[in-house]
Amino acid sequence: MKKNHPTMWYVKKWSIDISIDILGGVLIALATYNFAAASEFPVVGLNGIALIFYHLWGLPIGKVALLLNIPIALCCFRILGRDFFLRSIRTIIITSFLMDYTAPLFPVYQGDRMLAAICTGVLSGLGFALIYMRDSSTGGADFVMLTLKALNPHLTLGKIAFVMDALIVLLGTAIVSKDIDSLIYGMIISFLLSTVVDKVMYGIDAGKMTLIVTDYAKEVAQKIDEVTARGATFLKAEGSYSGEKKDVVMCACNNKQMYSIRNAVKEIDPKAFIIIMESNEVLGEGFKPH
């Protein structure tokens, strides 16, 4: 029985990966074909470029995206690695098939364009995030984004996507609709997509982290505990100009608690130096479990 465990684990993982590819692919296909194409929105990624071919010459979106993926995939193969490349090829094929053969089975939305833009951004964002979280991609612009992410780890995928997709949106507007409203809707879609990707991948429990440089570290930590029931960590620091030893209080909290923490610190030490930073996701005791 033990000899079968690795095989069973692999089969289970492969089954989950395929299921996520199908779910993510359906969401992306519906967003692109049933919402964006009907409203002539310029959309993001290689699907956005394929959508230009669809509007100009009626070429199938999925097949065009699949063909456009080939040269980009070959260029990014070495940086992203063999395993990721093979997983992405699987996802690309599934998504392209769903785009051309499954999405047309559903009704095309003909209602309000703002609602169509919201649905396009949210559905595609959910689809891309699900696929990214299984360490795969839909290829094309994803390959480029993840390559940039590998070279610049401090950048989030959402921010990289927003910059790249904005360029594709501008191109789609200039070639297809030539309509300023479509450009605005396209930018809304790009913003929603990048936001949804970041929220799903990095956690809806995003919050704040603060670093407090003070002469009353213990008192500040105690006050933070009183007003928010949050613990704190003491860090040792030294001023570069004065050479004085300083205690730094580090505390992670949610967005609502930061206001109370800031007021509590001012109450204890009005001269305290407070740094407040965005925290994409906090894991551990008192927050979301690992």
Side-chain angles (χ1 to χ4, degrees):
M1 292 298 293
K2 291 183 178 179
K3 293 182 179 179
N4 294 329
H5 285 174
T7 301
M8 294 300 296
W9 177 86
Y10 180 80
V11 170
K12 181 179 179 181
K13 180 180 183 302
W14 187 83
S15 300
I16 294 174
D17 287 344
I18 292 292
S19 299
I20 294 298
D21 279 350
I22 293 173
L23 177 58
V26 167
L27 292 172
I28 294 170
L30 291 176
T32 305
Y33 184 88
N34 301 80
F35 288 96
S39 299
E40 293 190 349
F41 291 145
V43 297
V44 298
L46 273 194
N47 286 337
I49 298 176
L51 199 56
I52 295 175
F53 285 84
Y54 171 80
H55 285 301
L56 293 179
W57 299 295
L59 299 177
I61 301 171
K63 291 185 177 66
V64 172
L66 184 61
L67 292 175
L68 292 175
N69 266 304
I70 295 174
I72 298 176
L74 293 176
C75 291
C76 299
F77 173 77
R78 289 186 177 180
I79 294 177
L80 297 176
R82 176 179 175 275
D83 291 340
F84 179 80
F85 177 79
L86 293 177
R87 286 193 298 272
S88 297
I89 291 299
R90 179 198 66 214
T91 303
I92 291 168
I93 294 172
I94 291 174
T95 304
S96 298
F97 176 85
L98 293 171
M99 185 76 71
D100 288 343
Y101 297 103
T102 300
L105 300 177
F106 292 86
V108 174
Y109 182 74
Q110 301 287 349
D112 183 77
R113 295 189 80 194
M114 177 57 75
L115 294 178
I118 293 173
C119 289
T120 300
V122 173
L123 290 177
S124 56
L126 287 172
F128 284 122
L130 289 173
I131 290 171
Y132 293 156
M133 290 171 71
R134 297 303 297 179
D135 199 19
S136 185
S137 81
T138 56
D142 290 350
F143 280 158
V144 177
M145 283 192 306
L146 293 170
T147 299
L148 292 174
K149 173 67 174 175
L151 297 174
N152 302 275
H154 62 283
L155 297 176
T156 68
L157 285 173
K159 291 178 180 178
I160 296 173
F162 181 74
V163 173
M164 290 185 56
D165 294 340
L167 297 177
I168 297 176
V169 166
L170 288 172
L171 180 65
T173 302
I175 295 177
V176 179
S177 64
K178 300 178 182 179
D179 177 11
I180 190 63
D181 286 348
S182 294
L183 173 61
I184 295 172
Y185 284 125
M187 296 301 289
I188 291 173
I189 292 170
S190 181
F191 175 77
L192 286 174
L193 190 155
S194 64
T195 300
V196 171
V197 167
D198 278 350
K199 289 296 183 182
V200 174
M201 290 191 67
Y202 302 116
I204 58 176
D205 296 324
K208 305 284 188 181
M209 185 180 77
T210 181
L211 297 174
I212 306 161
V213 183
T214 176
D215 293 325
Y216 306 95
K218 292 183 179 180
E219 291 84 348
V220 166
Q222 183 178 354
K223 189 66 175 179
I224 290 174
D225 181 59
E226 289 178 4
V227 299
T228 65
R230 290 291 182 194
T233 301
F234 295 131
L235 305 176
K236 298 297 181 181
E238 181 178 340
S240 62
Y241 178 74
S242 65
E244 294 181 3
K245 301 294 183 181
K246 291 284 186 179
D247 286 325
V248 178
V249 181
M250 182 179 71
C251 181
C253 64
N254 61 41
N255 291 322
K256 294 179 180 179
Q257 291 171 329
M258 182 51 65
Y259 180 79
S260 299
I261 290 176
R262 187 171 60 180
N263 289 338
V265 173
K266 288 182 179 180
E267 181 180 335
I268 299 296
D269 184 7
K271 295 182 179 180
F273 188 73
I274 305 174
I275 303 171
I276 299 174
M277 296 171 286
E278 295 291 336
S279 176
N280 285 327
E281 187 172 15
V282 183
L283 305 176
E285 186 177 354
F287 295 92
K288 189 169 71 174
H290 291 278

